[in-house]
Amino acid sequence: MEVLRPVMQTEPRCAMRGSCGPKVIFGKPLPCPYDGPPSEDDVDRDLLMTLCGADFAQGPTCCTTDQLETLRDNLGLAENLISSCPACRNNFRKFWCSFTCSPEQASFLNVTERQLSSTRQVAVKAVDFYVSEQFGQGFYDSCKDIKMGATNGYAMDLLGGGAKDYHAFLKFMGDEKDMGSPFQINFPPSSPSNYSPLNVTARNCYDNDLASRCTCIDCLDVCEKLPEIPPPNAEPTCHVGLVSCLTFALLLLYGLAVLSFILGYGLQVTLRRRREKSYERVALATDTASERVASPRSHTRGLIGASSLAQYLDGEDSTGTQSESRRLGRGASLLDPIETVQPRHYRLNTVLRRAFYRLGLIAATYPWLNFAIVFAIFGLLNLGWKRFEVETDPVRLWVAPDSESKLQKEFFDEHFGPFYRVEQVFVTSTVPGGGSSPQDKPPVLTWEHLKYWADVEEDIRNLESSPHGYTLSDVCLKPAGPDGFCVVQSVMAWFGNDLSSYDPDTWQDRLENCAETPVNCLPDFQQPLAPEMVLGLVPEDEEGRKEYVNATAMVITYVVPDSLDKTEQGKAMEWEYTLRDYLQKLGERAPREAGLEIAWSTGVSLEEEINKSTNTDIKIVVLSYVAMFFYVAFTLGNGAATRDDEGLWTCLAQWVTNLPKFFWQPSASSTLSLDSRLSPRLFPRLPRALFVGSKFTLGLFGIALVILSVGSSVGLFSALGVKVTLIIAEVIPFLVLAVGVDNVFILVHELDRQNLLHGPNAGSGAGAAAWAYGDSYSYGHTTPMSPTRARSGLDSQERELEAEHEQEVSLDAGSTPQYLSAEERVARTLAKMGPSILLSTVTETVAFALGALVPMPAVRNFALYAAGSVFLNAVLQITVFVSALVVDLKRVEASRVDCFPCVRMPPRIALLEAPPTSSGLSFLARFIKKRYAPFLLKPLVKGVVLLTFGGILVASIISIQHIELGFDQRLAFPSESYLIPYFDSVDAYLDIGPPVYFVVHDVDVTHRPGQQELCGRFTTCDPYSIANVLEAERKREEVSYISQPAASWIDDFFNWLDPLKDKCCRVRKNNHDIFCEPGESPRRCQTCYANHEPAWNITMNGLPEGEEFMSYLRQWLVSPTDEDCPLAGKASFGDALALSSDAKELVASHFRTFHKPLKSQADLINAFAAAHRIADDLSEATGATVFPYSLHYVFFDQFAHIIPITEQILGLGLAAILLVTALLLGSWRTGTIVTSVVALTVVTVMGVMGVWGINLNAISLVNLVISLGIAVEFCAHVARAFMSAGSGLPVDHPAGQKERDERMWIALVDVGPSVLSGITFTKLIGMCVLALTRSKFLEIYYFRMWLTLIISGALHGLVLLPVVLSLAGGSGFPQQEADEEWMSHAIRNDYEYTPFLADDESALSD
């Protein structure tokens, strides 16, 4: 380095003065080296004072007029960016005026190199400029926060290359470059002893004088601090240690409950042992007879019959009951309580039973007519399929029509145009062997990769669509107008989309320079490209500096405008389909050609992939249905069709046993066998249970009714204009099969019982009378459900004769068997089970229908279709299926083969006196009767059950606190969709958030108050104006989720009018009503506000209002945004304002900013909530209407309301269940218990959601609504059976506890097997098959949730509910008709509840 002046001068001297021509032709002029005193020659003093102020009003200077003109031009360019902050503007002028004109120039400036200019003059090539740290830091601080609204960035990005300190700021300004200094200016950190650094006082942006003070937008120190608020959806602030206060309180209460139970049980055991010891001492002092009388077992011989209830009754009733009990057997006084106490009757029960009996009798008597009528009606319902439509638009699918976000989106699209269609590609290097996390991938930027990708981008630019041949240039966004360039954000834009000027040794320097100072590498569309827009996952060195060359991914974005005009939109979509096809092929060949992987998306990708038919693993779904279908069909007839029918293994065993007799026994001596089954045969006898007793056809018919109900529901609601969604196609069949098939099981199993009581084999053998006859007949009680009494159309005289006949029959009931026709048995079946089916159907239908209150169309439509399907399925079951039951029953009794009714098996010869070979109970019923029910109803077990489920409740509530909102959109795509790696790449590589627009309307911007509510860069702007608040919110990014400065159109518009910006707003000198074009001569034009009264100033006094405002605004919107006037509005704000049709009124405008990078569902939801909170605050503060809009908001609107919606729907569903169950069961107590157990089931499902990572969204809300319905299925039948087995004892009766235990035991044996077989096992089988799916959507929202639901429902319905009902259930109502026959039969066939029986033999007998 050449030091030209090593000795400090004591007198003022210059280091350079004058202009010596440019370095190249048309370049900027270079100063001349000059080692001499300052001079007053050739100085335009007025221009000097205008530029540099009063300090240069007199005295010699080191600059000439040529230099001043160059300085004026350079300052004008800079002040387009910084004029809004007087401190920065004046510091900037002070800095460069001192550099150019200071008479003390030589004391801080040293010319170190010289060069020859294009005019062959010696000119300056490099200088050292010594600046004090105090001034340098103050200069930088005054400018660092000035915003560049048009780019949502900072003026420092353009003025200082994004400098983070004053050293980088000065270096950027001093570096020699085309758009900067024409020679090199170095800023050494320290100065030699013979130089004194420039050390003037820098102005501060927070100083109070008008020449310094800046507004809040450009100076953080003058901003009013917003009140502190917690982040959106913040965690509870109340904690005890590591857990929330709620968790701590629940754990404490549960711990106290467990401790109390242990202490209470221990005390009870201790007291009982003391009583037993006392009893033993008393027993030793008595004789044997007294011992028998005192024995506690002698008082438990009956269920709760004469020996247990009579002690609470007086007079003849007690005596009569004891005698009747001795005559009929143990337990008769409970099961036939008319002779024990006055029974409680519930009139609704009687009405319902009679109604169902009549319905069943008609359906069974005229089955084929019933088939014809019902199927004709349902056929008419299916005509609605003509209007069948599937909704596929994601917005119309998941967003309510009146949703606030949807209405706001429509407002935005109408006034500003739809959001851009983004075509985006992520490029990474391949990893040998495949599969690697983003952090482990090698750097993508190599010379070979850049050359390959340059060719790819060239191919994309030249793509032509079919059939119209559109190219990228025809559809892309061009900020400068139709003749401008496309916005393509890519690394290649830093190289000018051409690598020919670079080589393997120079490309890295270019890339690093562009990444550090994007303003030096403007692309053809003239907007700086920040590195986070085009590079992904950039590592840092040990000092925290970005290593851009080692970036893991390149991000390429093609911006295509969208349109409400279908023609324009069609052009874009046609080109996007071509781009999609190209990228699909590129994704296949790029790994082998260049070692690159791509992840990509186009504007048509999202809807296209969501609507693919492969969205579900269809084979697995079908296999799941088939598995459930065959389970139902094969197991439906395995209850107790007949008592003596042999199965497959029995037939084989008998055949093997009797086969030798076929060969050894002489035919002459053969005698007739007493039982044809024992006759020796050459071939095995066909098992009747398999061929005749099977109900495969009946099961398939029941499943067909499920399908018919779903189809009819679709037809009905399609006719009403309700569109089908994919969720309906996937879920409704599962749901209807789940909640409907148990009704089929219950009806079939009850018919089996009726066949045992009144079928063809009911009167065979000794004791048949006791088997087949109802005890009510022996009491002389006339049953209204008898076949004669119940038939309609009989006159009163006939009814009296029939009543006398019934009395005669009942008087002889002890000796005469009662055989009922198949129609009568089926009618009695429906009479008993119909009210239970009605209870479950009504509660389910109401619960599902309440889901229609959810505003989301997908959920609302699902709820309607589900409610309709369940209701129609129940109608089919109590009509058509009842007819099918009698047809199948007649087939069985005629020994016709199932599935092939034309084939009839030969009748069997059996011994009439043969005793029954079984009790008519299935294995499951025997297990419940002998093992499960007695164990469950033990006092200790009840306590353990209550504690266990209490613990589950506590754990569920704790887990519910950790449920997250959201729906990972990747789950909505097929597992092989190319969008899944794309969204993975967005999360991993994209380091910039989505744009958000704050839309403002209903404000009059043509008058000063309205302007002050919007602006932020003038001293009289409202402190809580929209611009000021958005800037204040940006400073608390963790709360607002806003990371970039807002683009304030009104501030740029008013600054465009500043007369100091002489290349912006200009009018003709001779006609101020005519605006000048950008290229017009300055001689013909002047600035708009030149000589304006009052003059333009930062107090807004004199700024335009009224029609003048609109006139200037219209011109601003069409003025091109370029280097000469970056404040012009055409490119920056052309789509930010919506004018009225006559352009005389501003209808709406928006302020654009950006969210911080949103990497998770929680971030997206919180950003949505934060933006709406800010908009609400702005609306309240300004009086204008403000709302936020971003592309993803419309899909996340549901999460703003889903928690209250969930509470509302589940709350209304539970209220409906309570009302219906209490009404149909006849007990508010029992209804409350059932509703509570259903609620606990749903709470448990929600608890598992928190553990298993299932988010709360519309899908899971649907499943929670389903949980209500299925939980009712588990509970309703058990509760109905419990209430129907009552003796009528008051709840507070001394024998009430034992009576409730007895009723619960009967209920479990009665309906428990049907509930387990009909819903639990059916759905478990389906879910086990569904576990094989590869679809994460099906796995998470169906397999996980439904498996939890089934297990939780079964446990709560068959474990917790029986325990709670046995402890606190309401008083029951004795069944007056057919039930008494079954119960009497149960007594005589060992249906005893073991804990209440004295003899162990009966407990073991079956």
Side-chain angles (χ1 to χ4, degrees):
M1 179 183 295
E2 178 186 3
V3 179
L4 301 180
R5 255 183 357 93
V7 181
M8 176 179 288
Q9 303 294 326
T10 56
E11 59 185 25
R13 294 189 70 83
C14 301
M16 55 187 187
R17 190 172 191 271
S19 296
C20 290
K23 182 177 180 178
V24 295
I25 299 176
F26 304 117
K28 294 181 180 180
L30 297 169
C32 304
Y34 172 69
D35 183 13
S39 171
E40 296 188 35
D41 298 338
D42 192 18
V43 176
D44 185 338
R45 188 65 63 174
D46 292 336
L47 179 59
L48 177 61
M49 292 180 60
T50 300
L51 296 177
C52 300
D55 292 343
F56 291 87
Q58 58 185 0
T61 65
C62 292
C63 58
T64 64
T65 299
D66 291 342
Q67 287 180 288
L68 289 175
E69 290 174 351
T70 301
L71 178 63
R72 178 194 60 197
D73 294 341
N74 291 335
L75 289 178
L77 292 176
E79 289 181 1
N80 284 331
L81 308 176
I82 63 175
S83 61
S84 60
C85 181
C88 176
R89 176 178 177 273
N90 288 323
N91 285 334
F92 196 87
R93 291 196 171 212
K94 172 69 70 175
F95 181 84
W96 289 111
C97 285
S98 299
F99 175 84
T100 306
C101 298
S102 173
E104 304 289 340
Q105 187 186 68
S107 65
F108 53 78
L109 195 68
N110 181 23
V111 177
T112 58
E113 291 187 64
R114 302 182 185 187
Q115 61 183 336
L116 288 178
S117 68
S118 62
T119 60
R120 311 306 298 169
Q121 294 177 278
V122 176
V124 173
K125 183 177 183 181
V127 300
D128 285 344
F129 186 6
Y130 303 106
V131 179
S132 69
E133 180 179 0
Q134 179 182 358
F135 178 69
Q137 188 65 50
F139 182 18
Y140 172 77
D141 288 343
S142 67
C143 298
K144 66 180 181 181
D145 292 321
I146 296 178
K147 308 305 183 298
M148 184 70 179
T151 63
N152 292 107
Y154 295 85
M156 188 60 67
D157 295 337
L158 298 176
L159 197 66
K164 303 301 180 185
D165 55 55
Y166 85 91
H167 295 290
F169 175 38
L170 299 180
K171 180 181 182 303
F172 179 84
M173 290 192 296
D175 286 343
E176 181 181 354
K177 49 184 174 289
D178 293 338
M179 298 298 296
S181 174
F183 59 97
Q184 182 64 37
I185 305 174
N186 299 311
F187 296 90
S190 60
S191 60
S193 58
N194 54 341
Y195 287 90
S196 60
L198 177 65
N199 189 21
V200 296
T201 302
R203 293 179 179 272
N204 297 313
C205 65
Y206 51 83
D207 291 341
N208 287 325
D209 63 289
L210 292 179
S212 300
R213 190 170 184 83
C214 305
T215 59
C216 168
I217 285 184
D218 296 326
C219 183
L220 303 182
D221 294 322
V222 302
C223 292
E224 295 189 22
K225 190 176 181 180
L226 296 177
E228 293 188 4
I229 58 173
N233 302 313
E235 293 283 332
T237 56
C238 178
H239 282 80
V240 178
L242 298 177
V243 299
S244 66
C245 293
L246 175 60
T247 300
F248 178 78
L250 290 172
L251 293 175
L252 181 63
L253 291 175
Y254 183 67
L256 293 175
V258 173
L259 182 61
S260 301
F261 174 78
I262 294 174
L263 294 177
Y265 180 72
L267 179 62
Q268 182 184 13
V269 171
T270 302
L271 294 176
R272 186 172 67 245
R273 288 179 178 176
R274 289 183 178 178
R275 285 197 302 269
E276 289 177 353
K277 291 180 180 179
S278 175
Y279 169 75
E280 290 173 357
R281 289 194 297 269
V282 173
L284 292 175
T286 60
D287 56 13
T288 304
S290 299
E291 180 179 348
R292 282 200 304 271
V293 173
S295 173
R297 290 175 64 87
S298 65
H299 296 288
T300 59
R301 300 284 299 175
L303 288 173
I304 307 176
S307 59
S308 58
L309 295 182
Q311 55 184 311
Y312 305 111
L313 305 172
D314 297 323
E316 295 179 358
D317 289 341
S318 177
T319 305
T321 301
Q322 293 186 21
S323 64
E324 205 60 65
S325 177
R326 286 192 296 271
R327 185 171 70 85
L328 292 178
R330 297 185 301 270
S333 60
L334 166 66
L335 299 173
D336 302 303
I338 298 173
E339 298 300 320
T340 304
V341 293
Q342 182 64 34
R344 298 171 64 246
H345 297 303
Y346 188 43
R347 180 168 179 79
L348 183 59
N349 276 342
T350 304
V351 172
L352 290 176
R353 290 170 64 84
R354 289 179 177 176
F356 278 109
Y357 175 82
R358 294 189 179 99
L359 176 62
L361 195 59
I362 293 172
T365 304
Y366 309 103
W368 302 108
L369 178 61
N370 187 38
F371 287 155
I373 294 175
V374 175
F375 285 148
I377 295 173
F378 275 74
L380 293 176
L381 292 179
N382 281 272
L383 292 177
W385 278 83
K386 291 183 177 181
R387 299 185 60 187
F388 175 82
E389 286 185 75
V390 178
E391 183 61 82
T392 58
D393 184 357
V395 174
R396 289 197 295 267
L397 195 61
W398 295 109
V399 183
D402 58 349
S403 162
E404 183 180 45
S405 292
K406 185 173 185 293
L407 297 177
Q408 291 169 353
K409 178 183 184 300
E410 292 172 350
F411 183 94
F412 187 93
D413 291 349
E414 178 185 352
H415 290 86
F416 308 109
F419 192 76
Y420 304 117
R421 306 175 67 89
V422 177
E423 337 292 331
Q424 196 166 54
V425 185
F426 291 89
V427 185
T428 57
S429 296
T430 56
V431 178
S436 178
S437 65
Q439 291 77 12
D440 297 333
K441 287 197 171 187
V444 69
L445 294 173
T446 66
W447 177 244
E448 290 74 17
H449 287 170
L450 284 178
K451 289 195 298 182
Y452 181 84
W453 193 255
D455 294 337
V456 169
E457 289 196 8
E458 186 63 26
D459 291 343
I460 292 176
R461 290 177 186 273
N462 296 327
L463 281 179
E464 291 188 4
S465 67
S466 176
H468 296 98
Y470 300 127
T471 65
L472 174 63
S473 180
D474 296 321
V475 300
C476 71
L477 173 66
K478 298 177 180 178
D483 298 329
F485 294 91
C486 294
V487 175
V488 180
Q489 299 172 346
S490 168
V491 169
M492 293 307 303
W494 285 344
F495 296 90
N497 299 313
D498 183 7
L499 292 176
S500 60
S501 302
Y502 305 93
D503 56 47
D505 298 324
T506 60
W507 73 270
Q508 291 190 14
D509 294 336
R510 172 67 177 180
L511 186 138
E512 289 180 346
N513 178 56
C514 292
E516 291 174 356
T517 55
V519 70
N520 287 344
C521 308
L522 291 178
D524 50 16
F525 56 91
Q526 296 299 303
Q527 293 180 4
L529 280 178
E532 56 266 22
M533 293 181 177
V534 295
L535 295 176
L537 208 62
V538 178
E540 296 180 351
D541 60 16
E542 295 179 355
E543 298 179 1
R545 291 189 299 239
K546 297 279 189 180
E547 297 179 339
Y548 295 105
V549 174
N550 294 325
T552 306
M554 291 189 293
V555 185
I556 298 89
T557 306
Y558 295 87
V559 182
V560 176
D562 202 354
S563 174
L564 296 177
D565 184 346
K566 294 300 180 182
T567 303
E568 291 298 316
Q569 189 181 71
K571 291 172 56 177
M573 293 177 66
E574 181 180 309
W575 183 82
E576 286 169 346
Y577 284 123
T578 304
L579 176 65
R580 179 202 62 189
D581 296 338
Y582 175 83
L583 292 176
Q584 282 179 333
K585 296 176 182 177
L586 178 65
E588 297 172 359
R589 59 184 173 86
R592 67 174 182 271
E593 291 180 352
L596 293 175
E597 293 179 352
I598 66 169
W600 53 278
S601 172
T602 68
V604 297
S605 296
L606 184 65
E607 184 170 347
E608 186 179 56
E609 289 296 291
I610 286 179
N611 296 329
K612 273 190 174 179
S613 60
T614 54
N615 191 26
T616 60
D617 197 337
I618 191 65
K619 293 181 181 178
I620 296 297
V621 173
V622 171
L623 183 59
S624 179
Y625 283 134
V626 169
M628 289 188 290
F629 291 172
F630 276 91
Y631 167 79
V632 172
F634 279 117
T635 60
L636 195 58
N638 289 343
T642 57
R643 301 191 340 252
D644 297 340
D645 276 356
E646 67 275 14
L648 177 61
W649 300 112
T650 303
C651 288
L652 290 177
Q654 291 175 350
W655 174 69
V656 171
T657 303
N658 297 324
L659 183 61
K661 298 179 183 179
F662 182 83
F663 298 101
W664 298 343
Q665 185 175 6
S667 58
S669 61
S670 108
T671 58
L672 181 63
S673 173
L674 295 176
D675 191 337
S676 61
R677 292 175 300 177
L678 304 180
S679 301
R681 302 170 61 89
L682 180 61
F683 297 103
R685 183 183 182 88
L686 295 178
R688 298 179 62 85
L690 180 62
F691 288 90
V692 176
S694 167
K695 287 184 169 53
F696 185 84
T697 304
L698 187 64
L700 287 181
F701 185 76
I703 293 169
L705 294 183
V706 170
I707 298 174
L708 177 61
S709 66
V710 175
S712 301
S713 181
V714 172
L716 173 62
F717 287 106
S718 294
L720 297 176
V722 181
K723 292 186 178 181
V724 176
T725 63
L726 292 178
I727 186 177
I728 292 174
E730 294 166 358
V731 180
I732 296 293
F734 263 112
L735 174 65
V736 179
L737 191 63
V739 302
V741 80
D742 63 330
N743 292 338
V744 172
F745 274 81
I746 287 174
L747 288 172
V748 171
H749 291 174
E750 176 60 24
L751 182 58
D752 289 338
R753 296 190 185 100
Q754 292 293 334
N755 291 334
L756 289 172
L757 290 169
H758 307 300
N761 297 322
S764 63
W771 187 306
Y773 281 80
D775 298 284
S776 59
Y777 291 97
S778 62
Y779 300 149
H781 175 66
T782 303
T783 304
M785 300 304 297
S786 61
T788 55
R789 177 68 178 270
R791 294 181 185 271
S792 59
L794 303 178
D795 57 28
S796 58
Q797 184 177 1
E798 290 174 327
R799 290 178 180 175
E800 291 175 2
L801 293 175
E802 287 173 353
E804 294 175 2
H805 174 67
E806 287 174 355
Q807 186 174 8
E808 293 174 1
V809 171
S810 64
L811 291 174
D812 196 28
S815 57
T816 305
Q818 184 188 18
Y819 167 79
L820 298 179
S821 66
E823 292 82 358
E824 178 69 19
R825 279 173 273 154
V826 171
R828 291 191 173 209
T829 297
L830 187 60
K832 180 180 178 183
M833 303 315 300
S836 184
I837 294 174
L838 177 66
L839 171 61
S840 61
T841 300
V842 171
T843 50
E844 290 159 4
T845 303
V846 172
F848 292 147
L850 287 172
L853 297 176
V854 178
M856 287 168 284
V859 179
R860 185 194 64 233
N861 294 4
F862 165 82
L864 292 174
Y865 277 97
S869 299
V870 170
F871 177 77
L872 293 177
N873 188 54
V875 171
L876 290 172
Q877 286 172 340
I878 61 175
T879 55
V880 174
F881 190 74
V882 169
S883 297
L885 279 177
V886 75
V887 172
D888 186 74
L889 181 56
K890 290 182 177 180
R891 175 196 62 78
V892 173
E893 294 181 355
S895 297
R896 295 187 180 274
V897 176
D898 192 20
C899 299
F900 303 97
C902 296
V903 180
R904 183 173 182 177
M905 293 185 66
R908 186 187 68 216
I909 302 175
L911 182 65
L912 291 177
E913 289 79 11
T917 57
S918 70
S919 63
L921 291 176
S922 65
F923 168 78
L924 195 56
R926 291 196 301 272
F927 171 77
I928 291 176
K929 168 196 165 188
K930 288 297 182 181
R931 303 295 179 195
Y932 176 70
F935 174 78
L936 182 65
L937 296 177
K938 291 180 179 178
L940 176 61
V941 175
K942 291 181 183 179
V944 172
V945 166
L946 292 177
L947 282 180
T948 301
F949 280 88
I952 294 175
L953 173 62
V954 169
S956 298
I957 296 176
I958 294 173
S959 177
I960 287 173
Q961 301 174 71
H962 303 288
I963 293 179
E964 296 182 356
L965 305 182
F967 178 75
D968 189 344
Q969 54 193 338
R970 284 167 285 204
L971 299 177
F973 305 129
S975 56
E976 69 279 4
S977 171
Y978 60 83
L979 286 184
I980 293 178
Y982 167 74
F983 283 108
D984 291 340
S985 298
V986 169
D987 290 345
Y989 304 125
L990 196 61
D991 202 26
I992 187 171
V996 54
Y997 303 85
F998 287 87
V999 179
V1000 184
H1001 59 102
D1002 297 335
V1003 58
D1004 184 5
V1005 296
T1006 61
H1007 293 87
R1008 191 74 68 229
Q1011 297 168 357
Q1012 291 169 336
E1013 289 173 357
L1014 303 185
C1015 69
R1017 279 190 160 143
F1018 297 87
T1019 57
T1020 58
C1021 293
D1022 191 321
Y1024 293 100
S1025 69
I1026 291 175
N1028 282 332
V1029 170
L1030 290 179
E1031 176 58 24
E1033 292 287 357
R1034 183 194 62 80
K1035 297 166 191 170
R1036 50 180 189 181
E1037 182 179 308
E1038 70 287 348
V1039 172
S1040 67
Y1041 283 77
I1042 292 176
S1043 63
Q1044 302 292 332
S1048 173
W1049 66 267
I1050 194 168
D1051 289 313
D1052 279 18
F1053 166 60
F1054 283 148
N1055 276 293
W1056 175 74
L1057 295 172
D1058 186 355
L1060 293 179
K1061 301 175 178 60
D1062 56 1
K1063 294 185 179 180
C1064 287
C1065 183
R1066 300 187 304 161
V1067 293
R1068 295 279 179 87
K1069 291 181 178 179
N1070 57 0
N1071 187 350
H1072 292 178
D1073 294 331
I1074 301 176
F1075 290 93
C1076 292
E1077 297 296 327
E1080 285 194 59
S1081 169
R1083 292 190 299 270
R1084 299 179 59 188
C1085 302
Q1086 68 179 34
T1087 58
C1088 296
Y1089 257 57
N1091 306 318
H1092 190 279
E1093 290 296 336
W1096 189 98
N1097 62 82
I1098 62 172
T1099 66
M1100 300 184 71
N1101 183 30
L1103 293 184
E1105 294 184 86
E1107 176 54 33
E1108 184 186 23
F1109 176 92
M1110 292 304 301
S1111 174
Y1112 283 128
L1113 183 68
R1114 289 190 291 269
Q1115 178 61 28
W1116 176 68
L1117 288 174
V1118 298
S1119 298
T1121 307
D1122 53 23
E1123 184 184 71
D1124 290 334
C1125 186
L1127 295 175
K1130 182 176 181 179
S1132 303
F1133 298 100
D1135 58 356
L1137 286 81
L1139 303 183
S1140 61
S1141 57
D1142 57 4
K1144 293 184 178 181
E1145 183 182 355
L1146 179 64
V1147 178
S1149 63
H1150 68 61
F1151 290 71
R1152 183 186 66 247
T1153 181
F1154 283 82
H1155 283 303
K1156 69 177 187 178
L1158 307 177
K1159 299 294 187 180
S1160 65
Q1161 292 289 298
D1163 284 346
L1164 290 164
I1165 295 169
N1166 291 340
F1168 174 89
H1172 279 78
R1173 189 264 308 162
I1174 294 170
D1176 292 342
D1177 291 347
L1178 288 172
S1179 297
E1180 183 178 355
T1182 64
T1185 302
V1186 184
F1187 68 83
Y1189 172 76
S1190 189
L1191 187 61
H1192 69 279
Y1193 283 0
V1194 70
F1195 298 107
F1196 284 82
D1197 179 77
Q1198 58 173 297
F1199 299 110
H1201 315 288
I1202 196 164
I1203 292 179
I1205 286 176
T1206 302
E1207 295 171 348
Q1208 174 189 8
I1209 297 303
L1210 296 183
L1212 289 175
L1214 291 172
I1217 291 171
L1218 173 61
L1219 182 64
V1220 174
T1221 52
L1223 179 65
L1224 294 182
L1225 292 177
S1227 170
W1228 283 103
R1229 180 191 291 262
T1230 304
T1232 302
I1233 292 174
V1234 170
T1235 306
S1236 300
V1237 172
V1238 170
L1240 292 178
T1241 303
V1242 178
V1243 169
T1244 303
V1245 173
M1246 296 180 70
V1248 175
M1249 287 173 60
V1251 174
W1252 219 338
I1254 303 173
N1255 293 343
L1256 178 60
N1257 49 50
I1259 303 292
S1260 51
L1261 175 56
V1262 168
N1263 284 333
L1264 291 176
V1265 175
I1266 291 174
S1267 300
L1268 288 177
I1270 295 184
V1272 168
E1273 283 288 323
F1274 280 107
C1275 299
H1277 301 302
V1278 176
R1280 173 78 187 180
F1282 172 79
M1283 293 299 295
S1284 300
S1287 65
L1289 287 181
V1291 174
D1292 57 351
H1293 194 280
Q1297 182 57 61
K1298 284 189 176 182
E1299 189 256 2
R1300 285 192 297 272
D1301 286 343
E1302 292 280 355
R1303 289 159 53 200
M1304 195 69 254
W1305 176 80
I1306 293 170
L1308 285 173
V1309 176
D1310 192 12
V1311 299
S1314 299
V1315 173
L1316 275 174
S1317 301
I1319 182 169
T1320 308
F1321 296 154
T1322 305
K1323 293 306 299 174
L1324 280 178
I1325 288 174
M1327 287 302 104
C1328 290
V1329 176
L1330 203 58
L1332 302 175
T1333 182
R1334 294 176 298 172
S1335 168
K1336 295 295 293 182
F1337 177 75
L1338 287 179
E1339 177 194 338
I1340 292 176
Y1341 289 102
Y1342 292 113
F1343 171 69
R1344 293 183 185 179
M1345 283 200 74
W1346 286 42
L1347 181 65
T1348 302
L1349 168 59
I1350 294 163
I1351 295 175
S1352 175
L1355 290 176
H1356 283 82
L1358 297 176
V1359 179
L1360 179 63
L1361 180 65
V1363 169
V1364 178
L1365 285 178
S1366 69
L1367 292 173
S1371 299
F1373 302 99
Q1375 303 232 6
Q1376 303 166 33
E1377 298 101 8
D1379 292 344
E1380 292 153 356
E1381 301 169 6
W1382 163 244
M1383 294 174 182
S1384 179
H1385 155 70
I1387 298 167
R1388 292 169 175 78
N1389 281 273
D1390 202 23
Y1391 274 65
E1392 296 93 350
Y1393 174 36
T1394 305
F1396 299 130
L1397 299 176
D1399 54 303
D1400 296 333
E1401 293 79 4
S1402 66
L1404 298 173
S1405 63
D1406 192 57

